[in-house]
Structure formats: C-alpha cells, structure tokens
C-alpha cells in the first residue's frame, strides 16, 4: 500500500500540472489574504485569525480538488493499467486507501503552503494558535471529503473531464444545500460543519460528519471496484 | 442463466450493505448531534454557553424560534457584531432541538422582514407560540464602562437567555390600570391615551387589564403591578385606603401630572413621596420644543441601566419631594440644576424663575421606593408614556423597565457580560503593500518556478 502511495505521489509530482495548480491556489488565496489584511475600516477590522479566510479557502478547495482527484482511476482505466493494478497483490481496500492517502498528502502540501498567512498574521497581531489549528483541521477534513468524492467519481469513468464534473457538480449542490435546503439541508451540507472549526471549537458531531462522509465515499469506491470483478 | 443469478445476488448484497452502512452512519450522526461533545480552545471560552443558559435550554418545553435580521456587510465574516450574534445563537440552536435559529439579511429576505415587521437593522426576534420579544443590536454591548483600548463587553447571552425565558413563560403576569378618575385610557388611538404602551407591555408577555372600583371592590390578587396613570379627579378616601393597604404586599406605578389633584393622601403618605404641584421648566435639559419638555437625567439604577444611550422626554411634569431620612427612596430621574418648578400656574402668568418662591433645581422627577422588595415607582408625569410621546427613543423602554423592575421578574437571570477579545491586526500601509505583493505574486511565483524547475530536471534526467 505504501508503495502505491509513493508511486502515486511520484506521478503527481512528475507532472507540471501540480506546480501550476499549487501556484494558482496560492495566488487565489493570497488575493483573499491581502484583501483581508489591507481592507481595514472601523466596521471592518481585520482579525488576527484565519476565520475571515476559511470560507474563501474552502471555496478554492472546491475548485482545486476535482483536478487533483480526476485522474486517479480514470487515467489508469484509459491507459489500461487498471487491470495491472487489480492483479497486483493488493486488495481493493488497499488500492483505494493507497490512492486516497496519496491525495491527502497532496492536500496537506497545499494547506501547508498557506502557512505563510498565519506567519504574516503572527507578525502583525497576536493570534490564538488553537483556533488557527482548528481552522486548518476543518479545511483538511473538508478537502478530504471533496477528495473522497473525487476518488469515487474517478473510479466511475475513464474520462477525466467527466470525473471532474462528476465531482464538482455534487459538491456544489451539497454546498448550496445549506442555503436552499432548509433545516435538513443545513445538516447535510458540507460547508455548515466548518463553522465550529472556524471559531476554535472541536464539535464531535461535526468531526464525525466529515469522517463519516469520507468513510462512506471510500466504502462506496471499494464496493464499486469489487463489483467490477463480478460484473 | 446461472451467471445472471449470481450477479443479481452479488448486486443486491452490495446494495443492501451500502444502505446498511449509510443507515448506521446517519443514526450515529443523529445521536452525536443530540449529545455533542465540544472542545473549546479559545482563550476565554468565548464560544461556550454559560451554565445558566445551558440549564434554561435544557428545561425548555416549547419550541422557540429565533430570527435575526442583520444586514450583510461586504464580507460576512468581517462584520464583528453580526458574527458574534450568529455564533452565539447557533450555539443555542445546537444545544436544544427546540430552538430554531435563522439569520436573515433584511435586504435580501424581504418577505421575512415584512412578516416580522422589522424596522431596525440588527433586530433579533424571539418567538414562542404567540409570544414575541425583540432584542436590538443597541442592547448587545456595554459601551459605557470600557476603557478605549479594549472591546466593549458583550451582553448578548444575558439578553438572549432572559428573552427565551420571557417568551416561554406560561404564567403571565397581570398589570392593572386603575380607571374611573380620569386616568389614561387603554384603548383608542388618541395621542393622550395609553393604547400603544399597552401593546408594548403585551409584547413583553404581560397581561394588561383595566381596574375599576365600581365593578371590583378590591385590588385583584393576581395583580403584579397596579398602575395609576394621570388621574385628574379625586380618588375617594375609601379607594385610597384600599390602595394604601395594597402596598403592604403589592407594587404600584404612580404617574402624577401637575395641575391635577387626585387626592391619594393615604397612599402618598404610605409611600413617603410628595408631589410638588409645580410645573418643571428645565432650560438646561429639554426637548427642542421648549423647557416644558424636560429630558430627565438618568440616575444609576437597574431601571435606567440599558437606557444610557437614549434620552427619554417628559412633558409638563411636576417635581417630587421626600424627606432626607428616607434611605429606601432613590431618585432615578432628575432635572438639571438650571431647572425650576414654576408654582404660579395661574392662566396668563409669566413663567420665570422666582427665587424663594419657585422650587429650585436640580429637581426630582422620578423616584423608586424599595424596602425588602420593590414597592413603587413614582414619576411626576404621565404624558411620556402616552401614544403621543411613546415613539420618543427611551420612553417606552423607561416605562417597560419600571414595570419589569417592580415585578422583579424572578426568572430574570443575571448573566455577566462576556469579556470579548478581538485580536485585531493592523498593517501599516507599507506592510500592507509588502503582504499584497508577497502573497499574491512573489510567493506563488516562487512556488511555480521551483515546481517547474524540479519537473524539468526530472524530465531531462
């Protein structure tokens, strides 16, 4: 499994898309961050925390993660290497976990790259570090949920663009559910559960929500790969 | 055929398993949502509810709906007050399934704003059944006692929790307004009547009833407060005796206008307060129209506590006096030192301050009598609470606070102000520029170049 993670990472790093993607991600979040810092007025005081940033970063993750996940299985299927992978001495669960683990590491790299903002904040003010860490934990879990869906979508089709669309559309729907879906929509929506993390609180139900979403999507992916064997 | 059967079996097995897993997860999530466990890492536990609030929410029996109406600024997360309110009320909703909370932007959610008759930005409507009570943004922070450098203390939780108690209280308190002596009427739209303040009181979940000694030979036992508002005719000695006796256990709000003589000797003796039968003219503090509309100074007292940013206005008031040894009587409304109480009220006489004849300021315009319990509030004016004056900012609040102080709403919780820590960060223009260029351009570019160089080297190795 670790060999698979390593192989996946190598493939990703070997492609220039990752560097371009990361630079774009940093450009967009940097745009938001400098606005956060410089647009000050009495009604609009910048706070020495990541709270003002977290939703913006979540939106950008929403756009970035489908591109990270779209090729994972689709490419293997297109290149015909899927059969190879399946005959390797790995269970379907190990394959899924290996691919997913590699993506989580990429996500962590993306988020770690934004550590420049907390550093700037610490220079300009005196932030509380606990809530700051929780902001990142929340973003990591949110991004992890996005990637889990992306993984499933990628397993469904060998066309990368379709995989990205299959990831993006449900994510966007889940996102807006909090605004249009009433009370139930708020419970189901991916974004509402970020709120407790953003204010510096670890809420067991919100934590469980993200873990459950990730677990369920990975479970579906494993089932789907298994199903391919007998279909 | 055999293959098909196997496939079908596998397929239904797989679907069944997926459904089962989903069901278990949803169930577990439901349980966790009802009994969440929260770890607050903020320094002041700002995001946690006080034990009093938790108890009130745990004891809730009826659903409570909270609708907050705040305009959205440019960026939702930047408008501090809105965010503070939102965080706290979300906590309430999370804590009790009976609490439903929504935040609206009155500009975007016009139907809701109209439905709740919202006229002020920053209104938070608490409703339960047909009870409704509003909390306004102006009440949320204590700006008075804050050194400039730090943030004003946040009073929101105390207000919110007490308001929830108020709208869910089943035992309504009854307020009786004495009638039959030319007092202010409770019905009718005339500016001299009390119909609007009646509505205000009802909105605070009080029952308001007229009381006439013609139909009832006593003051009802369920009277939480007896209000005598601007009687113009003499109250008979028998009635006076009833009221004086009632003061042994009841509470009285007495509003006495000048130029009237309602008697009430026994009651006033019991209270220890004497109306001065003068007309207060206050050149130092008055409404634009003239010194006969004094804007009383608010002395420190629970009644005036949250009115400090407002200026209630009286109209044609008289001053009050009490002997200096009465430590149980406290002034709450006073005039400026420039004021005088004109005693020559004959028609056509000139209003001027005759030293030695007229009463000299600062004059007492309103007092409270408190023994072991609140007993009475006496004000030398009843006009301030009439339909004609009730829209003056502070006037309705003043009367409502008098009533709630007299009732001594035992349910009212004292939830201390929360220290708010706003960790601001300030960038000088130069720092701002450096950050803008660094985070938008420099840093992403460096990352891009490093990434591309790495990729290029690997490719050509």
């Amino acid at each position: 499994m670790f060999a698979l993670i390593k192989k996946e990472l190598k493939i990703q790093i070997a492609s220039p898309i990752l560097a371009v993607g990361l630079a774009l991600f940093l450009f967009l979040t940097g745009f938001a961050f400098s606005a956060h810092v410089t647009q000050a007025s009495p009604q609009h005081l910048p706070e020495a925390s990541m709270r003002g940033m977290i939703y913006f970063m979540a939106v950008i993750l929403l756009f970035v993660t489908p591109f990270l996940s779209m090729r994972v299985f689709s490419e293997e299927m297109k290149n015909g290497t899927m059969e190879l992978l399946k005959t390797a001495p790995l269970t379907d669960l190990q394959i899924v976990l290996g691919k997913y683990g590699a993506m989580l590491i990429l996500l962590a790299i993306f988020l770690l790259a934004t550590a420049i903002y907390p550093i700037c904040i610490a220079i300009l003010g005196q932030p509380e570090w606990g809530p700051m860490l929780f902001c990142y934990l929340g973003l990591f879990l949110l991004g992890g949920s996005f990637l889990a869906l992306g993984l499933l979508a990628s397993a469904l089709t060998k066309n990368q663009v379709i995989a990205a669309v299959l990831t993006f559309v449900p994510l966007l729907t889940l996102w807006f559910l909090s605004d249009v879906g009433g009370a139930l929509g708020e419970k189901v929506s991916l974004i509402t559960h970020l709120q407790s993390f953003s204010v510096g609180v670890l809420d067991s139900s919100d934590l469980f929500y993200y873990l459950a979403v990730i677990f369920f999507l990975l479970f579906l992916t494993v089932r789907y790969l298994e199903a391919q064997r007998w279909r | 055929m055999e293959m098909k059967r196997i496939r079908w079996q596998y397929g239904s097995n797989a679907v069944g398993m997926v459904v089962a897993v989903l069901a278990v997860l949803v169930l577990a999530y439901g349980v966790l949502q009802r009994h969440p466990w929260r770890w607050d890492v903020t320094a002041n536990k700002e995001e946690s509810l006080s034990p009093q609030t938790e108890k009130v929410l745990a004891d809730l029996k009826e659903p409570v709906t909270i609708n907050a109406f705040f305009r959205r600024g440019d960026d939702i997360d930047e408008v501090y007050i809105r965010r503070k309110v939102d965080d706290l009320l979300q906590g309430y909703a999370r804590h009790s399934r009976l609490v439903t909370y929504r935040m609206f932007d009155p500009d975007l959610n016009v139907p809701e704003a109209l439905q709740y008759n919202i006229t002020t930005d920053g209104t938070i409507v608490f409703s339960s059944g047909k009870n409704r009570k509003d909390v306004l943004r102006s009440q949320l922070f204590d700006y008075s006692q804050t050194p400039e450098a730090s943030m004003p203390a946040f009073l929101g939780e105390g207000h919110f929790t007490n308001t929830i108690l108020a709208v869910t209280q089943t035992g309504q308190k009854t307020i009786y307004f004495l009638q039959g002596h030319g007092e202010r009427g409770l019905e009718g739209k005339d500016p001299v009547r009390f119909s609007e303040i009646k509505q205000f009181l009802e909105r605070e979940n009080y029952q308001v009833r007229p009381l006439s000694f013609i139909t009832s030979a006593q003051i009802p036992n369920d009277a939480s407060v007896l209000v005598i508002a601007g009687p113009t005719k003499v109250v008979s000695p028998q009635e006076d005796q009833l009221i004086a006796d009632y003061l042994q256990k009841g509470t009285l709000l007495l509003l006495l206008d000048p130029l009237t003589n309602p008697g009430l000797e026994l009651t006033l003796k019991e209270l220890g307060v004497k109306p001065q039968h003068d007309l207060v003219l206050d050149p130092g503090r008055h409404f634009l129209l003239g010194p006969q509309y004094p804007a009383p100074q608010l002395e420190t007292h629970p009644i005036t506590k949250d009115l400090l940013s407002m200026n209630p206005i009286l109209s044609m008031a008289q001053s009050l006096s009490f002997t200096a040894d009465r430590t149980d009587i406290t002034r709450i409304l006073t005039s400026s030192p420039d004021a005088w109480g004109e005693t020559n009220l004959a028609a056509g006489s000139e209003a001027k301050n005759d030293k030695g004849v007229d009463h000299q300021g600062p004059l007492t315009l309103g007092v409270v009598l408190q023994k072991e319990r609140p007993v009475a509030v006496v004000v030398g004016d009843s006009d301030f609470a009439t339909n004609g004056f009730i829209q003056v900012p502070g006037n309705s609040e003043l009367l409502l606070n008098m009533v709630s102080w007299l009732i001594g709403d035992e349910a009212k919780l004292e939830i201390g102000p929360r220290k708010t820590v706003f960790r601001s960060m300030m960038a000088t223009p130069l720092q701002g520029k450096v950050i803008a260029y660094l985070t938008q351009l420099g840093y992403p570019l460096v990352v891009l170049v490093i990434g591309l160089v790495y990729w290029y080297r690997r490719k050509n190795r």
Side-chain angles (χ1 to χ4, degrees):
Chain A
M1 195 171 86
F2 293 102
L4 183 61
I5 294 181
K6 223 169 142 186
K7 185 204 113 194
E8 278 294 311
L9 282 177
K10 264 190 183 156
I11 294 177
Q12 290 274 13
I13 290 170
S15 137
I17 295 174
L18 185 72
V20 174
L22 184 56
L24 265 177
F25 176 71
L26 290 174
F27 169 72
L28 287 172
T29 50
F31 199 67
F33 182 72
S34 61
H36 176 63
V37 172
T38 51
Q39 283 177 3
S41 73
Q43 290 81 38
H44 209 87
L45 282 174
E47 191 181 15
S49 82
M50 290 295 284
R51 278 193 67 176
M53 289 281 298
I54 185 170
Y55 287 101
F56 193 84
M57 282 175 70
V59 173
I60 298 180
L61 280 180
L62 177 73
F63 285 90
V64 167
T65 45
F67 292 100
L68 285 183
S69 60
M70 65 184 185
R71 52 152 293 281
V72 174
F73 283 117
S74 305
E75 202 172 59
E76 303 252 16
M77 281 191 268
K78 202 174 134 207
N79 298 346
T81 48
M82 196 68 189
E83 300 308 315
L84 224 63
L85 193 63
K86 281 195 166 175
T87 48
L90 285 169
T91 62
D92 290 334
L93 178 67
Q94 283 172 324
I95 294 174
V96 169
L97 286 183
K99 297 260 183 193
Y100 186 64
M103 280 194 291
L104 281 188
I105 291 172
L106 286 181
L107 175 66
I109 291 172
F110 271 58
L111 290 178
L112 274 178
T114 65
I116 187 173
Y117 311 137
I119 292 169
C120 287
I121 290 172
I123 292 170
L124 297 173
Q126 287 170 323
E128 275 190 82
W129 292 105
M132 190 92 94
L133 275 178
F134 276 12
C135 274
Y136 272 101
L137 177 62
L139 282 174
F140 186 69
L141 288 168
L142 183 77
S145 312
F146 291 171
L147 288 174
L149 183 64
L151 194 71
L152 175 63
S154 168
L156 295 177
T157 171
K158 59 180 168 193
N159 186 324
Q160 292 195 15
V161 177
I162 293 179
V165 171
L166 277 182
T167 314
F168 188 67
V169 172
L171 284 182
L172 209 60
T173 313
L174 273 177
W175 188 287
F176 285 123
L177 214 53
S178 61
D179 291 329
V180 296
L184 184 68
E186 262 172 39
K187 287 202 168 45
V188 179
S189 169
L190 276 167
I191 192 66
T192 46
H193 300 272
L194 199 56
Q195 198 265 347
S196 63
F197 291 99
S198 76
V199 297
V201 170
L202 189 64
D203 184 304
S204 56
S205 68
D206 291 334
L207 180 66
F208 179 82
Y209 170 86
Y210 285 123
L211 294 178
V213 165
I214 292 169
F215 172 81
F216 183 66
L217 290 169
L218 294 184
F219 173 77
L220 278 184
T221 313
V222 173
R223 290 277 113 181
Y224 184 77
L225 291 185
E226 267 177 19
Q228 282 180 331
R229 291 187 197 277
W230 45 260
R231 263 173 55 180
Chain B
M1 196 60 201
E2 180 65 7
M3 196 61 205
K4 213 173 176 184
R5 200 181 59 83
I6 290 173
R7 261 190 212 164
W8 193 84
Q9 211 168 31
Y10 269 113
S12 52
N13 265 356
V15 170
M17 209 153 148
V18 167
V19 170
V21 166
L22 188 62
V24 168
L25 289 178
V26 170
L27 207 71
Y29 174 66
V31 171
L32 265 177
Q33 257 222 331
R34 281 180 200 182
H35 311 281
W37 159 90
R38 286 162 68 80
W39 181 29
D40 183 344
V41 294
T42 54
N44 292 308
K45 300 280 168 272
E46 269 185 74
E47 308 302 334
S48 305
L49 298 178
S50 71
Q52 293 104 307
T53 298
E54 288 186 355
K55 178 155 189 328
V56 168
L57 292 176
D59 292 347
L60 271 186
K61 302 223 162 44
E62 307 144 61
V64 175
T65 312
I66 309 173
N67 291 302
F69 293 86
F70 280 78
R71 276 212 179 95
R72 248 169 234 242
D74 298 310
D75 181 338
I76 26 167
D77 256 12
E78 292 301 321
V79 182
Y80 181 69
I81 296 175
R82 182 179 189 278
R83 194 166 68 192
K84 194 88 198 153
V85 168
D86 197 39
D87 287 347
L88 186 56
L89 289 176
Q90 287 209 18
Y92 279 60
R94 197 167 33 233
H95 226 85
S96 169
R97 276 186 300 137
L98 290 170
V99 175
T100 321
Y101 160 69
R102 299 289 314 261
M103 168 72 83
F104 294 104
D105 180 343
D107 293 338
L108 295 177
N109 305 93
V110 176
E112 285 84 359
L114 286 176
Q115 184 197 337
Y116 285 97
N117 199 9
I118 301 300
T119 51
T120 323
D121 179 31
T123 304
I124 307 159
V125 182
F126 289 75
S127 39
S128 177
K130 55 181 177 34
N131 298 328
R132 163 180 173 166
K133 199 174 167 187
D134 298 356
V135 174
L136 298 176
R137 179 162 59 186
S138 52
Q139 300 168 272
L140 294 179
F141 286 88
D142 183 0
Y143 296 99
S144 58
Q145 40 196 298
T146 334
E148 281 164 34
S150 70
M151 289 292 287
F154 184 56
L155 307 171
E157 192 178 356
H159 280 301
F160 297 162
T161 305
N162 278 315
T163 308
I164 288 180
L165 276 178
V167 294
T168 54
Q169 247 163 29
T170 41
Q172 267 191 329
K173 305 268 168 72
T174 309
I175 301 166
Y176 284 95
F177 278 73
L178 188 63
Q179 305 283 293
H181 317 90
E183 291 95 341
R184 304 287 180 179
L186 290 170
E187 309 297 334
K189 296 246 175 265
D190 309 358
V192 297
R193 289 177 190 269
F194 262 29
S195 60
E196 290 203 23
I197 196 68
K198 178 183 176 223
Q199 283 177 14
F200 275 106
L201 287 165
E202 285 170 345
R203 210 178 288 165
E204 297 281 312
N205 202 22
Y206 297 124
Q207 208 156 46
V208 179
R209 289 202 183 136
L211 171 67
S212 162
F213 287 130
I214 303 294
T215 54
S216 159
Q218 55 174 0
I219 297 166
N221 280 329
D222 66 341
S224 293
V225 179
L226 174 65
V227 183
I228 305 178
T232 52
K233 309 252 163 45
V234 178
V235 178
S236 74
Q238 290 83 353
E239 293 167 335
D240 192 14
Q241 184 68 53
L242 272 178
I243 298 166
D245 291 347
Y246 159 83
L247 283 175
Q248 298 303 324
K249 54 178 180 37
T251 61
L252 175 68
L253 173 57
L254 184 56
L255 310 176
L256 292 174
D257 290 311
L259 301 161
T260 60
N261 187 12
L264 290 169
E265 282 87 5
L266 292 168
T267 303
L268 289 167
K269 199 171 149 227
E270 184 71 32
L271 294 172
V273 178
K274 264 183 76 177
Q276 293 294 88
H277 300 290
D278 55 4
L279 179 68
V280 173
L281 298 167
D282 191 345
R285 283 180 67 85
H286 64 82
F287 183 59
L288 289 173
L289 287 175
Q292 69 273 36
Y293 298 102
Q297 209 136 273
L298 304 171
E299 306 294 331
T300 311
H301 190 270
I303 290 177
T304 56
K305 196 178 72 183
D306 51 355
L307 299 181
L308 294 176
S309 59
M310 298 183 252
N311 280 315
I313 286 163
L314 308 183
S315 158
M316 310 276 258
Q318 67 175 322
S319 63
L320 306 168
S321 74
F322 54 93
T323 51
D325 59 320
R326 291 299 294 262
T327 51
D328 50 353
I329 298 180
T330 315
R331 290 180 180 86
I332 55 164
L333 305 175
T334 55
S335 76
S336 78
D338 305 338
W340 79 93
E342 181 64 51
T343 48
N344 182 6
L345 299 174
S349 60
E350 193 193 349
K352 64 178 198 331
N353 190 354
D354 300 312
K355 299 254 159 70
V357 181
D358 292 334
H359 303 124
Q360 299 301 311
L363 299 165
T364 305
L365 297 168
V367 297
V368 297
L369 171 61
Q370 177 164 30
K371 295 188 168 155
E372 301 83 55
R373 59 180 180 89
V375 178
V377 177
V378 185
V379 182
D381 178 43
S382 73
D383 299 280
F384 76 96
T386 56
N387 295 350
F389 282 89
I390 204 68
Q391 298 301 343
V392 173
N395 278 21
S396 62
E397 290 85 350
L398 184 62
L399 192 111
L400 293 177
N401 285 4
M402 287 172 176
V403 169
S404 67
W405 178 77
L406 282 170
I407 287 180
D409 259 334
E410 281 152 44
K412 276 223 160 175
L413 293 174
E414 197 57 50
I415 295 175
R418 280 304 180 92
K419 218 175 126 191
T420 51
V421 183
F422 184 77
R423 292 164 180 268
S424 70
M425 85 183 145
M426 269 306 173
T428 62
L430 178 70
Q431 283 173 324
K433 256 185 199 151
V434 170
I435 284 178
Y437 283 114
L438 180 74
T439 56
Q440 288 176 56
L441 288 174
Y443 184 50
L445 266 179
V446 168
V447 169
L448 182 67
V449 169
I450 292 176
L452 288 181
V453 166
Y454 180 78
W455 163 73
Y456 188 76
R457 279 206 182 156
R458 272 182 65 97
K459 207 180 91 174
N460 295 329
R461 205 162 38 188

